[in-house]
Amino acid sequence: MQLVVARIGRAHGIKGEVTVEVRTDEPELRLGPGAVLATDPAGVGPLTIETGRVHSGRLLLRFAGVSDRTGAEALRNTLLIAEIDPEELPEGEDEYYDHQLVDLDVVTEDGIEVGRITEISHLPSQDLFIVERPDGSEVMIPFVSEIVTEIDLEEQRAVIAPPPGLIDERAETVSSRDDDA
């Protein structure tokens, strides 16, 4: 099975290094020197990681055969894809691969059906579940422990405790001005 582990960003310097937007919780396992990664678009790869280092909080990689800024810039926005065993699980207890979460049923703690996870959106601050509701509409649910209270892979469901207004239109508006009236 293939897993997107990073997206190549800008060239860094003149010796072929690129910045990388990491999309895995295990960069040391997936993005180490010697790793051979498929790419999207496929015509760019496969790419073999030659060196890697962290600079100012960003991961920098250099690939075999890419030795200058021009070559590095040509890789920009390429997705790096690792081949993993479908039975492999993340190391952390509360960590999941996207393929484990997509197609889970989403229900509230009260057992009310919300919908089905169709996609995971990875944002800088947090991940979002994109959930298709039974009526065909979509709702975005932040994948944070305060809202997603349980992931049950055996039952194929995610249990949520949504704050008012997240999945319905009945948001509670509270203002200190109401007390002054």
Side-chain angles (χ1 to χ4, degrees), residues 35-49 63-64 66 75 80-81:
V36 178
L37 302 167
T39 60
D40 182 9
V44 175
L47 294 173
T48 302
I49 297 175
F63 299 100
V66 179
L75 298 175
L80 299 175
I81 303 167

Side-chain angles (χ1 to χ4, degrees), residues 150-161:
E150 179 186 357
I151 299 291
D152 187 339
L153 295 178
E154 287 184 23
E155 293 292 322
Q156 288 290 291
R157 68 182 187 154
V159 179
I160 64 170

Side-chain angles (χ1 to χ4, degrees), residues 85-96:
D85 180 348
E87 301 301 315
E88 181 181 332
L89 299 176
E91 291 178 1
E93 183 179 319
D94 289 333
E95 295 177 356
Y96 304 94

Side-chain angles (χ1 to χ4, degrees), residues 13 99 117 171:
H99 73 272
I117 299 172

Side-chain angles (χ1 to χ4, degrees), residues 100-120:
Q100 293 176 291
L101 300 171
V102 171
D103 286 334
L104 292 184
D105 293 323
V106 179
V107 297
T108 66
E109 291 179 322
D110 300 334
I112 299 169
E113 179 187 1
V114 176
R116 183 180 57 82
I117 299 172
T118 58
E119 181 183 343
I120 312 297

